């Protein structure tokens, strides 16, 4: 039994049973700083992101040429492209019309994602037997 399988099952359960986001009188659930901190920590501590970047570097960096220059330029490219991607996602999802449509269907979205995560976790768990 692998802990990642059980973690997927746990995430599925927690997502399925998650309550609707409670917004304050301004229509905001958390402050901008809390949202930034949560998003930054979630992405920077995500092992998939680290593995993706390491695998990308392993494919691109060769011993020929200036390795330090390559490391800095590839690192800058990945950092800037990640920043642009997540900034666009934040701007897109922060638009009131889009945000409200997502929040209107939040329970259904969470239930579907929860079931999918649960099924994936169970599938991985039982695939070993």
């Amino acid at each position: 039994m692998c802990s990642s399988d059980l973690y997927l099952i746990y995430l599925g359960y927690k997502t399925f049973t998650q309550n609707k986001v409670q917004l304050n009188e301004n229509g905001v659930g958390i402050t901008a700083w809390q949202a930034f901190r949560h998003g930054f920590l979630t992405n920077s501590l995500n092992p998939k992101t680290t593995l993706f970047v390491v695998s990308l570097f392993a494919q691109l960096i060769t011993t020929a040429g200036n390795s330090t220059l390559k490391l800095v330029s590839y690192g800058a490219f990945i950092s800037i492209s990640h920043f642009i991607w997540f900034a666009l996602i934040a701007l897109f999802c922060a638009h009131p019309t889009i945000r409200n449509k997502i929040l209107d269907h939040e329970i259904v979205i969470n239930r579907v994602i929860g079931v999918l995560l649960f099924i994936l976790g169970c599938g991985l768990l039982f695939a070993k037997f």
Side-chain angles (χ1 to χ4, degrees):
M1 194 172 340
C2 184
S3 61
S4 62
D5 304 338
L6 295 177
Y7 185 61
L8 273 176
I9 293 169
Y10 169 76
L11 283 178
Y13 169 76
K14 291 300 283 184
T15 304
F16 188 86
T17 60
Q18 184 175 349
N19 293 328
K20 192 165 176 62
V21 170
Q22 298 299 317
L23 302 177
N24 63 20
E25 63 278 352
N26 297 328
V28 179
I30 58 176
T31 66
W33 170 248
Q34 289 172 322
F36 175 79
R37 187 181 67 206
H38 181 77
F40 180 81
L41 289 174
T42 299
N43 192 50
S44 61
L45 297 175
N46 185 351
K48 291 181 296 185
T49 302
T50 305
L51 291 173
F52 171 75
V53 171
V54 168
S55 67
L56 190 62
F57 275 124
Q59 297 297 318
L60 296 176
I61 294 183
T62 63
T63 56
N66 188 344
S67 294
T68 304
L69 179 62
K70 287 181 184 179
L71 184 66
V72 171
S73 60
Y74 291 145
F77 172 76
I78 289 175
S79 297
I80 292 168
S81 62
H82 268 78
F83 177 78
I84 291 170
W85 171 253
F86 286 113
L88 289 173
I89 292 294
L91 288 173
F92 179 74
C93 291
H95 190 277
T97 304
I98 296 169
R99 184 188 67 202
N100 290 336
K101 287 210 180 276
I102 292 170
L103 290 176
D104 287 344
H105 303 291
E106 176 185 8
I107 296 296
V108 173
I109 293 168
N110 284 343
R111 294 292 187 323
V112 169
I113 292 172
V115 167
L116 292 174
L117 288 172
F118 188 85
I119 290 170
L120 179 61
C122 288
L124 290 172
L125 180 65
F126 294 118
K128 295 176 181 133
F129 296 114

